[in-house]
Amino acid sequence: MRSEELHETLLPKRLALPIFASDPLSSVAYATQEILLVLTLGGMAYLHFTPWIAVAVVALMTVVVLSYRQVVHAYPSGGGSYEVASTNLGASAGLVVAASLLVDYVMTVAVSVASGVDNIISAVPELSGHRVLMAIGFVVLLTGMNLRGTRESGRAFAAPTYLFITGVLIMVITGLFRYLVGDAPVSESARYGVEAEPADANLAGFALIMLCLRAFSSGCTALTGVEAISNGVPAFRKPKSKNAATTMAVMGAIAVAMFSGVTALALIAKVHIVEDPCRLIGLTGDCSEYTQRTVIAQLASSVFGGENSFGFYYVQAATALVLILAANTAFNGFPLLADILAQHRYLPRQLHNRGDRLAFSNGIIALALAAGLLLWFYKADVTSLIHLYILGVFTSFTLSQTGMVRHWNRELRTQPDPAVRRQAQVARVINAVGAVVTGLVLVIVLATKFTQGAWLAVLAAVVLWLVMRAIRRHYDVTAAELAVTDPKAELVRPSKVTAIVLISKIHKPTLRALAYARAFKPDHLEALTVAVEKGETLDLERQWEDLDVDVPLKVIDSPYREITRPVVEYIRSIQRSSPRDVVGVFIPEYVVGRWWEHLLHNQSALWLKSRLLFTPGVMVTSVPWQLTSSARADHPARRAPGSVRRGEPPPQHRHPTAQ
């Protein structure tokens, strides 16, 4: 796609919702489960705290959605939390947000895919042994779809997201209706009791509060991905801010409805889920071989009439699919944020490049590699991965909302219009509440999850922060070093130009390099060879005399059979003797078309170039000679990805003689 076609990739709200909000919408599939997994550590005695914890999560989600609607309107350029924090709290705070979000995007892919695989295994337990392979395969599939471009991936992901929303809402409405008419659904795990962990039995006081806070922090996984819309405002159709804010409001309403419904149904159906099935009282058989179904699977089975019902398979298929596709939120958010950071010189410039389909290909591939490694290392286990999750989200939430309070303070100091001031004051209150609440949640998450694995996410964010600072420092130092201070001094011609043609034998590439060097009309031109084998060197000298060219042949002895070091030392000696002179080195090279031919040719030239490039005052010129096999690489049918971007014309535009 041409750069001018970028506007054709902009998204209407119906496609933007599944692209940017699939993560928070799909989080309802495991948020309730994570709350129950923590509370059942104390047996069944603390399950009555579930509604209160769910209410706290819903209230928090409402505050965060309202707060980010202010961000969307105030900062429509797409920087989201990073731009807010950088502008209002300084570059260091902005980098903290960026590092936290980048780590969290990687975790989003890993957790979403692993959770999706869990739901597939709940429907087909025989696949349990292929968990890691399935997870990595889905990451590869998502990567390929996103490399096709944002709009194409949006079309592919829209149907599963809407099917999931429909399935969950139908399940919730059906289950609640059955409860109201006296036919409450009963889950398959309702008949089991739960044995408390010895350390968590009979808790009271501070210990009980900590257990509830830990359950709350686990339930806050429902908020992951909420900020993605604020990062992706430029991808919306005009009016961008209004459409993004509307999409965020719709996303918040749907997520709250589904999370509340699933949690209510889990309590009605008496779902009892634990990390270790051996703690289920009444379970027969080998507990170590028992695979417990997810909360969503148990609810679908109990509401729709068993594990063989159409409704069960529909909900499981839609849930598994949307959880895997929920990683697409990160596949859109990560490359966009990496692009902005690359523009600000905090990440390599390659992350700013768009691919053939106008997607940020390098960012997509980097995210896929990081997520794939995590899935492999943790064996695609949701329980292990979830402890690394959500820390980055609440770090960005807290700093961005604090930054927005400063933004409105600055706005109020300069705004004379009373109506605008009232709007700014209301927005400031919303963001202040958001900053306080998310800050408290961040403290809770750190306190309850740090020793369980969250320290790894903190360490990764700190390392990434340091790396980004180092990259920016490198770019700044390089820019200062390359800046032109005195144009006239830089344009002064060298006092003398010495051209050296490297030769090993007399053949066509050597003669082409010699002719090309002579075309430059240097002040001094000579051919240079290294005497490794005495007989070959004598033959070369005789052939050179027979050639009868007015170019002297310089022979360097190499008693230790080296080629690179004698050539480099000779050229450096010329440069040292006349620092104001320029030495031009012409190296003939073969151009080959097969990968294995590179192993057979040009090795000496490669080493020479790599050494000479570090020598000031030396210019290295490669003079190519195309072997017959090189025509294979230029065949239109074998154009590599990105060839259009690199300037290669499509086959129909080639001149006949070029083919």
Side-chain angles (χ1 to χ4, degrees):
M1 296 181 70
R2 296 173 62 87
S3 299
E4 293 81 0
E5 297 176 86
L6 183 60
H7 70 279
E8 296 180 13
T9 67
L10 298 180
L11 302 168
K13 294 189 289 293
R14 70 178 186 279
L15 290 182
L17 181 68
I19 285 180
F20 291 110
S22 56
D23 180 22
L25 291 177
S26 67
S27 296
V28 302
Y30 54 82
T32 299
Q33 178 170 310
E34 292 305 315
I35 294 173
L36 295 176
L37 281 170
V38 174
L39 292 178
T40 53
L41 290 173
M44 297 171 59
Y46 307 121
L47 289 178
H48 64 278
F49 289 112
T50 304
W52 301 105
I53 293 172
V55 167
V57 172
V58 167
L60 178 62
M61 182 178 290
T62 303
V63 170
V64 170
V65 169
L66 290 175
S67 300
Y68 268 95
R69 278 172 56 87
Q70 311 302 320
V71 174
V72 164
H73 286 295
Y75 293 90
S77 60
S81 299
Y82 165 70
E83 184 178 359
V84 173
S86 298
T87 304
N88 298 288
L89 302 177
S92 294
L95 280 188
V96 171
V97 170
S100 300
L101 282 177
L102 290 175
V103 170
D104 211 72
Y105 281 137
V106 175
M107 294 308 308
T108 295
V109 176
V111 171
S112 296
V113 170
S115 186
V117 171
D118 257 5
N119 277 270
I120 293 174
I121 292 171
S122 290
V124 189
E126 293 79 10
L127 295 175
S128 181
H130 306 287
R131 182 186 301 270
V132 176
L133 184 61
M134 290 169 62
I136 293 177
F138 283 127
V139 171
V140 172
L141 177 64
L142 286 167
T143 303
M145 295 175 72
N146 277 280
L147 288 173
R148 289 292 301 165
T150 302
R151 191 177 180 88
E152 283 73 9
S153 64
R155 289 195 183 102
F157 300 155
T161 303
Y162 288 123
L163 288 173
F164 170 73
I165 294 171
T166 304
V168 171
L169 291 178
I170 289 175
M171 181 184 73
V172 168
I173 293 169
T174 304
L176 293 177
F177 177 76
R178 286 181 55 183
Y179 171 72
L180 292 174
V181 298
D183 181 28
V186 180
S187 71
E188 63 185 49
S189 61
R191 64 181 183 271
Y192 302 133
V194 177
E195 181 183 350
E197 290 279 0
D200 296 303
N202 302 316
L203 296 178
F206 180 74
L208 181 57
I209 292 173
M210 288 303 296
L211 182 70
C212 292
L213 290 177
R214 183 176 162 191
F216 170 69
S217 66
S218 294
C220 286
T221 52
L223 278 76
T224 54
V226 168
E227 82 293 336
I229 291 177
S230 67
N231 291 334
V233 177
F236 283 79
R237 286 181 178 173
K238 296 180 179 180
K240 295 179 181 290
S241 294
K242 180 181 177 182
N243 288 337
T246 302
T247 304
M248 182 167 284
V250 172
M251 176 269 297
I254 295 174
V256 165
M258 291 197 298
F259 172 72
S260 303
V262 169
T263 304
L265 267 188
L267 293 173
I268 291 170
K270 296 182 172 60
V271 175
H272 299 152
I273 188 165
V274 292
E275 291 185 12
D276 181 9
C278 292
R279 288 174 44 225
L280 292 174
I281 300 172
L283 180 65
T284 58
D286 186 359
C287 62
S288 62
E289 298 295 327
Y290 179 70
T291 301
Q292 197 171 12
R293 284 195 170 96
T294 61
V295 168
I296 284 285
Q298 293 189 47
L299 291 178
S301 176
S302 61
V303 169
F304 294 119
E307 61 185 43
N308 293 319
S309 62
F310 171 78
F312 170 78
Y313 282 108
Y314 173 88
V315 171
Q316 282 307 101
T319 302
L321 196 54
V322 80
L323 279 168
I324 292 167
L325 298 183
N328 195 59
T329 297
F331 272 104
N332 283 278
F334 184 100
L336 285 170
L337 180 57
D339 163 55
I340 294 170
L341 289 167
Q343 291 183 59
H344 294 173
R345 304 196 302 275
Y346 287 114
L347 286 178
R349 292 287 296 173
Q350 291 89 336
L351 292 171
H352 177 54
N353 297 339
R354 291 184 182 268
D356 287 345
R357 301 293 299 176
L358 298 177
F360 293 109
S361 306
N362 293 330
I364 291 170
I365 293 171
L367 173 61
L369 290 174
L373 285 173
L374 265 181
L375 287 165
W376 172 78
F377 185 79
Y378 285 98
K379 296 180 171 54
D381 180 52
V382 178
T383 304
S384 300
L385 290 166
I386 206 76
H387 295 309
L388 309 178
Y389 207 18
I390 79 173
L391 189 67
V393 169
F394 281 98
T395 302
S396 65
F397 283 173
T398 303
L399 290 176
S400 68
Q401 299 314 306
T402 304
M404 285 301 296
V405 172
R406 283 198 173 184
H407 168 82
W408 296 123
N409 287 340
R410 188 170 59 250
E411 183 81 9
L412 288 168
R413 283 196 296 268
T414 58
Q415 181 57 249
D417 189 338
V420 177
R421 287 181 63 84
R422 280 194 298 273
Q423 292 177 353
Q425 288 167 347
V426 172
R428 182 174 63 176
V429 170
I430 293 173
N431 290 128
V433 172
V436 172
V437 172
T438 55
L440 288 172
V441 175
L442 177 60
V443 173
I444 292 169
V445 171
L446 275 172
T448 58
K449 288 183 174 289
F450 190 81
T451 57
Q452 296 180 341
W455 66 270
L456 280 172
V458 174
L459 179 62
V462 170
V463 170
L464 188 55
W465 185 87
L466 292 172
V467 168
M468 288 193 291
R469 290 291 297 264
I471 290 173
R472 174 60 187 262
R473 187 162 52 249
H474 167 77
Y475 277 131
D476 288 346
V477 169
T478 302
E481 187 176 340
L482 299 179
V484 177
T485 55
D486 186 358
K488 292 185 178 179
E490 301 293 342
L491 291 172
V492 171
R493 295 181 60 183
S495 58
K496 182 181 177 182
V497 176
T498 299
I500 297 175
V501 180
L502 302 183
I503 65 172
S504 59
K505 61 181 67 175
I506 304 296
H507 50 23
K508 291 179 179 179
T510 298
L511 298 182
R512 173 178 286 185
L514 186 63
Y516 188 62
R518 295 176 73 173
F520 278 82
K521 298 181 179 179
D523 297 291
H524 176 70
L525 172 63
E526 68 180 27
L528 179 66
T529 190
V530 179
V532 176
E533 296 288 344
K534 187 175 181 180
E536 291 182 2
T537 304
L538 291 174
D539 288 342
L540 177 62
E541 288 179 308
R542 282 194 294 271
Q543 292 176 32
W544 191 260
E545 290 178 3
D546 295 340
L547 198 60
D548 192 25
V549 293
D550 56 345
V551 176
L553 174 64
K554 174 71 175 180
V555 179
I556 304 175
D557 289 328
S558 180
Y560 297 102
R561 300 160 304 284
E562 291 182 288
I563 295 177
T564 303
R565 182 180 295 180
V567 171
V568 172
E569 288 180 351
Y570 176 73
I571 292 172
R572 286 179 177 175
S573 68
I574 296 175
Q575 214 284 321
R576 282 195 299 267
S577 63
S578 303
R580 292 186 58 191
D581 294 356
V582 169
V583 179
V585 181
F586 295 81
I587 305 176
E589 288 189 58
Y590 306 141
V591 178
V592 297
R594 301 179 181 89
W595 67 267
W596 53 266
E597 289 181 302
H598 288 281
L599 303 175
L600 305 178
H601 303 287
N602 298 326
Q603 299 304 309
S604 298
L606 182 64
W607 282 106
L608 280 167
K609 284 193 293 185
S610 65
R611 293 287 302 278
L612 291 172
L613 289 175
F614 289 94
T615 306
V618 175
M619 311 302 165
V620 182
T621 302
S622 295
V623 183
W625 181 272
Q626 292 80 10
L627 296 177
T628 305
S629 64
S630 66
R632 295 168 51 88
D634 196 44
H635 195 284
R638 298 187 178 91
R639 286 194 297 118
S643 56
V644 172
R645 230 176 328 115
R646 291 192 291 267
E648 181 181 333
Q652 62 269 27
H653 292 162
R654 293 190 175 200
H655 193 275
T657 58
Q659 299 184 29

